[in-house]
Amino acid sequence: MQSNIETAKNLGLTAEEFEKIVEILGRSPNFTELSIYSVMWSEHCSYKNSILQLKTLPRSGKRLLVGAGEENAGLVDIGDGLGCAFKIESHNHPSAIEPYQGAATGVGGIHRDIFTMGARPIAALNSLRFGIPDNPRMRRLVAGVVKGIGDYGNCFGVPTVGGEVYFMPCYNHDILVNAMSAGIVKEGETVSATAGGPGNPVFIVGSSTGKDGIHGATFASADLSEDSHEDLPAVQVGDPFQEKLLLEASLEAIRTGAIVGMQDMGAAGITCSTSEMSAKAGCGMRIDLDKVPTRQAHMKDWEILLSESQERMLIVCEPGQEAEIQAVFEKWDLPCEQIGETTAGGRLEYFYEGEKVADVPAETLVLGGGAPVYVREQKKPAYMEEIARFDLGGIAEPADYKAAAEKLWHSPNLASKQWVTQQYDSMVRTGTMTTNRPSDAAVVYVKGTSKALALTTDCNSAYVYADPRKGGMIAVAEAARNIVCAGGEPVAITNCLNFGNPYNPEVYYQFAEAIRGMGDACRRFETPVTGGNVSFYNQYTHKGKVIPVYPTPTIGMLGILDDYERMMTLDFKSEGDRIYLIGTSRDDLGSSEYLRNILNVEYSNCPHFDLEEEYAIQQVIKKAIAGNWLQSAHDVSDGGIFAALLESAMPRGLGFEVKSNPAVRKDAWLFGEAQSRVIVTVRTEQAEAFERFLKDENAPFESLGIVTGLKLIFDGSDWGNVSGWKRTYDTVLGNIMQ
């Protein structure tokens, strides 16, 4: 018994969890059974430290076709007999160890979550966080991750349409790689991740099983260290061409009507898919592991069970229709082997070479079943006392505003990400509407309809670090603002919650408060949470010091344009158009890119945000777009009004002449990131009527100036041609990477 306890601890289980397993089984578990519980009760699979917090989020809405967490991905009704399946997940630890395969398999895994539901993926996005790229290691990680995402997505044939890239010191050791996918499915063609009743044949389809990714779920549920490179076998290896075959074969198999249920083999491989599909149906399975096609000879039973080899599915089909399923996969030249059948009684019985190697109740393994659930201690982080002492009055205004702006414009967080995006194919499938028409959100045409999807990923982790609750609200609100500025209606979110170790009370405080803020904002915007991913243990121990990342609750939001011709772009259109700021400027530099990276102020307040103010501004923008008032719309976010104006000016090479608000500090007006503000342009002949419209809506606004030819004029000062600023914008990141 003592040796078993030590084995359990080595596999990541606590002594209490080991005792619970003994109680469940009525005996001491063998090594294979311990391995099963270790991966299924890992944080990555069981959400044991997060599920009670997640349950406080709004998870129902009039457009949702499945409840949050019920299937592999969220599913939203978009009308015309169509649904959109979408989800975001992390692949952080693997990408930090092996950036190319870590990122590539993250992309492959999230697409499989979409097409296992019967939906064809039509768009991919990502949210990437790196450390400061001033050393060869970080540049290698950036290059590897970007190439992995690009190679997999391009070969698989799904456009990468949007995302975000940040560079901050807190990610110097633990990078974050969050991948999102969205797909379209016709009504009546969805598939559930269920095993049905007893007596159904169980098939494994797709790639053969190898030794890559073994204990990958456990690996993702622990801190990285200086020795983590030795865990390289826990990183999976992907094959996008095999996944393309698997996509087409799976969708064709669904159309046969022979499939009862289907699930991707992601974290924990066969173990996870057999246990979750069985538990959902209230049945069991008998699985013959020696029937699983393997890439390597003499694999052990637990290696086959725990392998996370990519491009594999578990399919349960109707009895008597096995030949139909096999014919489809044979046509696509993919392995399709029956490895067992469903049984009554709810037990998972795994056999290898005629011997039963594991016998466990399915329900005891899964989230919402017998997996442990914990509530961890919370403590307000000590650094927040430092933030509370921040005084803007102690910050001197720059002596030379143009020089300050030029320095800010060299920040890789504000610079063009074309060095990244040019490695992605955004035009494959010909549905992307924002490749050459810049907008605050990616817009993808839904073929055969008048509709389009608006998609975005958003989170400024510096805001969440400064105030976890308010920062969580801002992440949702900015995503909604981007959807609205693109002409869409926000309808639902998926989230990827990236935090440090939940056993650290300060980290758990950040997590709980961010969840609270996200929930508040989602309820106000009526954007329920359809599912997502929690990624804890994003921290690094170096010379005895624990270095966690900033709390990063990434929001992936789906919006709908019922008429794709109503899409709004951010670029200035014509000389002479009037420029307005809708919203209120404030003496606020809190957590801004200017304050953090130019003045090197680490501790400052979260920027101003009021949920009701934000909601009201978004309603005004919707009405302005619906009323055909606007030529362009662009939200004010990173870099403040200065960055937003330049981003709108550069696409067509148009300049502007604007005046700052004399009631506000000029540095705060230019570079501050107070929320709930949008810059819009209107035709000169409509300006007077537009201002009456804003007054009728009780919307705060400022008339900033006009769109001009080439020059940028701030308060009468000539800041040069827009072409020079664009040159800097286009080359900063490429120069760093070279």
Side-chain angles (χ1 to χ4, degrees):
M1 177 73 78
Q2 185 62 35
S3 63
N4 278 355
I5 293 176
E6 290 304 313
T7 300
K9 289 181 178 179
N10 291 335
L11 291 173
L13 294 162
T14 66
E16 292 76 15
E17 288 169 347
F18 176 80
E19 293 301 328
K20 184 175 180 180
I21 295 167
V22 171
E23 180 183 344
I24 288 169
L25 298 180
R27 56 178 170 79
S28 184
N30 62 35
F31 178 78
T32 299
E33 290 165 338
L34 270 180
S35 296
I36 290 170
Y37 277 100
S38 75
V39 293
M40 292 305 297
W41 285 8
S42 69
E43 184 67 42
H44 194 69
C45 291
S46 74
Y47 287 38
K48 58 189 176 185
N49 290 308
S50 59
I51 185 59
L52 292 182
Q53 301 291 344
L54 297 177
K55 285 183 176 179
T56 67
L57 294 169
R59 301 190 296 167
S60 60
K62 59 187 178 181
R63 285 185 179 267
L64 297 195
L65 297 175
V66 299
E70 289 183 4
E71 298 293 349
N72 288 317
L75 187 62
V76 171
D77 183 359
I78 64 170
D80 292 344
L82 298 174
C84 176
F86 73 113
K87 188 180 183 182
I88 189 170
E89 281 197 341
S90 65
H91 231 224
N92 300 334
H93 281 27
S95 300
I97 300 300
E98 209 301 292
Y100 181 86
Q101 290 294 351
T105 52
V107 172
I110 197 64
H111 283 319
R112 286 196 302 279
D113 280 338
I114 300 305
F115 69 77
T116 50
M117 295 185 67
R120 179 177 291 278
I122 64 167
L125 299 91
N126 51 67
S127 175
L128 309 178
R129 314 287 165 136
F130 300 105
I132 303 303
D134 59 356
N135 63 81
R137 173 185 173 271
M138 189 53 61
R139 289 194 292 273
R140 179 182 67 83
L141 290 176
V142 175
V145 165
V146 171
K147 185 169 175 56
I149 291 171
D151 284 1
Y152 202 103
N154 298 350
C155 295
F156 183 57
V158 173
T160 302
V161 300
E164 56 181 0
V165 185
Y166 279 92
F167 300 89
M168 293 184 179
C170 68
Y171 306 110
N172 275 345
H173 294 286
D174 279 53
I175 64 174
L176 303 183
V177 176
N178 296 174
M180 178 175 168
S181 177
I184 298 296
V185 60
K186 291 181 180 178
E187 184 179 356
E189 293 187 5
T190 57
V191 172
S192 179
T194 181
N200 293 329
V202 179
F203 286 84
I204 187 170
V205 303
S207 294
S208 297
T209 298
K211 292 186 179 183
D212 52 318
I214 292 174
H215 271 295
T218 307
F219 168 64
S221 304
D223 294 346
L224 292 182
S225 71
E226 291 165 316
D227 299 322
S228 290
H229 65 277
E230 296 176 3
D231 292 326
L232 197 60
V235 180
Q236 310 92 329
V237 177
D239 181 346
F241 299 106
Q242 189 84 335
E243 177 131 326
K244 175 62 174 173
L245 297 177
L246 186 59
L247 162 68
E248 301 301 340
S250 298
L251 296 183
E252 185 173 330
I254 291 168
R255 292 194 293 270
T256 68
I259 291 182
V260 173
M262 177 164 58
Q263 181 159 325
D264 162 42
M265 286 188 190
I270 292 174
T271 301
C272 187
S273 53
T274 53
S275 58
E276 290 184 350
M277 292 180 77
S278 297
K280 185 172 183 177
C283 69
M285 286 187 188
R286 177 201 160 102
I287 300 296
D288 293 301
L289 296 173
D290 44 339
K291 294 182 179 179
V292 174
T294 58
R295 290 202 300 268
Q296 289 145 297
H298 311 300
M299 286 184 68
K300 298 179 176 64
D301 56 271
W302 60 270
E303 291 177 323
I304 296 171
L305 270 172
L306 272 57
S307 168
E308 295 182 11
S309 292
Q310 298 292 285
E311 292 89 37
R312 300 179 302 158
M313 301 284 197
L314 194 74
I315 287 179
V316 178
C317 79
E318 298 284 357
Q321 294 187 269
E322 297 92 336
E324 293 180 59
I325 297 297
Q326 290 170 321
V328 170
F329 285 91
E330 183 178 352
K331 168 188 170 182
W332 290 97
D333 197 24
L334 290 172
C336 175
E337 297 292 336
Q338 183 175 348
I339 60 171
E341 66 178 13
T342 57
T343 60
R347 298 194 75 85
L348 295 171
E349 298 175 286
Y350 300 105
F351 290 80
Y352 187 67
E353 296 179 347
E355 177 186 352
K356 184 187 289 188
V357 294
D359 184 349
V360 295
E363 182 69 15
T364 66
L365 297 173
V366 301
L367 166 72
V373 175
Y374 302 118
V375 177
R376 297 298 173 196
E377 178 188 355
Q378 296 183 36
K379 179 184 176 183
K380 192 172 183 177
Y383 70 79
M384 295 187 75
E385 296 179 6
E386 192 78 24
I387 288 173
R389 289 193 287 270
F390 172 75
D391 178 15
L392 182 60
I395 302 296
E397 293 191 43
D400 185 334
Y401 270 97
K402 183 183 177 185
E406 288 173 337
K407 187 175 180 182
L408 179 62
W409 204 231
H410 279 80
S411 165
N413 290 330
L414 299 185
S416 167
K417 305 306 185 293
Q418 71 174 13
W419 183 89
V420 172
T421 58
Q422 68 187 3
Q423 298 184 53
Y424 304 154
D425 188 339
S426 66
M427 295 185 285
V428 62
R429 298 190 58 80
T430 67
T432 310
M433 299 178 63
T434 42
T435 298
N436 298 309
R437 299 176 64 199
S439 184
D440 276 9
V443 180
V444 182
Y445 171 55
V446 181
K447 295 182 179 180
T449 74
S450 62
K451 299 179 182 295
L453 306 180
L455 301 156
T456 187
T457 57
D458 284 286
C459 179
N460 188 316
S461 59
Y463 301 168
V464 191
Y465 179 75
D467 186 329
R469 186 185 178 196
K470 188 182 290 186
M473 283 194 281
I474 291 174
V476 175
E478 184 176 356
R481 197 185 321 137
N482 285 333
I483 298 288
V484 167
C485 286
E489 178 69 32
V491 296
I493 76 162
T494 177
N495 57 56
C496 198
L497 309 178
N498 308 272
F499 290 80
N501 191 322
Y503 293 84
N504 179 337
E506 293 189 351
V507 167
Y508 206 75
Y509 172 91
Q510 294 172 329
F511 177 71
E513 286 295 290
I515 290 281
R516 196 154 68 99
M518 289 164 51
D520 291 343
C522 285
R523 279 182 281 273
R524 188 65 184 99
F525 293 113
E526 298 184 57
T527 53
V529 179
T530 63
N533 176 223
V534 176
S535 176
F536 282 135
Y537 303 98
N538 294 291
Q539 60 187 36
Y540 185 82
T541 303
H542 180 63
K543 296 181 179 179
K545 184 179 180 182
V546 177
I547 307 168
V549 301
Y550 278 4
T552 312
T554 303
I555 301 299
M557 184 172 282
L558 169 69
I560 297 175
L561 284 74
D562 285 322
D563 181 356
Y564 67 82
E565 293 187 356
R566 308 290 293 188
M567 172 185 151
M568 179 56 60
T569 59
L570 61 82
D571 51 317
F572 292 157
K573 302 301 188 298
S574 304
E575 290 186 50
D577 285 351
R578 295 283 296 275
I579 307 171
Y580 291 90
L581 174 74
I582 300 178
T584 304
S585 296
R586 291 178 164 86
D587 288 331
D588 186 349
L589 278 172
S591 295
S592 63
E593 186 73 15
Y594 173 74
L595 203 62
R596 287 184 292 108
N597 285 346
I598 305 307
L599 301 185
N600 298 313
V601 176
E602 183 177 359
Y603 301 109
S604 65
N605 57 287
C606 185
H608 169 83
F609 178 78
D610 179 85
L611 187 56
E612 292 305 317
E613 177 185 345
E614 176 74 41
Y615 181 82
I617 291 296
Q618 291 191 24
Q619 304 319 301
V620 170
I621 297 299
K622 289 180 190 177
K623 289 180 181 178
I625 292 173
N628 291 319
W629 291 107
L630 304 186
Q631 292 291 91
S632 68
H634 186 25
D635 84 314
V636 176
S637 56
D638 302 345
I641 286 176
F642 157 75
L645 286 169
L646 270 173
E647 287 163 357
S648 292
M650 290 184 296
R652 295 174 184 255
L654 293 170
F656 51 82
E657 183 173 352
V658 299
K659 290 186 177 181
S660 60
N661 185 337
V664 179
R665 281 181 55 139
K666 189 170 180 177
D667 54 353
W669 187 86
L670 272 174
F671 309 133
E673 297 174 13
Q675 300 294 291
S676 312
R677 296 183 295 163
V678 178
I679 289 177
V680 302
T681 54
V682 300
R683 293 187 178 92
T684 297
E685 60 269 23
Q686 289 186 293
E688 188 176 338
F690 180 64
E691 291 184 17
R692 285 198 300 270
F693 159 75
L694 293 176
K695 290 173 182 176
D696 290 344
E697 294 292 328
N698 293 315
F701 71 94
E702 298 174 25
S703 178
L704 301 186
I706 62 170
V707 177
T708 63
L710 299 175
K711 293 284 186 179
L712 309 185
I713 308 294
F714 280 101
D715 286 336
S717 176
D718 184 348
W719 282 23
N721 289 351
V722 67
S723 58
W725 292 86
K726 187 175 189 305
R727 237 182 341 265
T728 300
Y729 179 75
D730 287 342
T731 57
V732 164
L733 185 54
N735 289 341
I736 290 172
M737 289 303 299
Q738 291 170 10

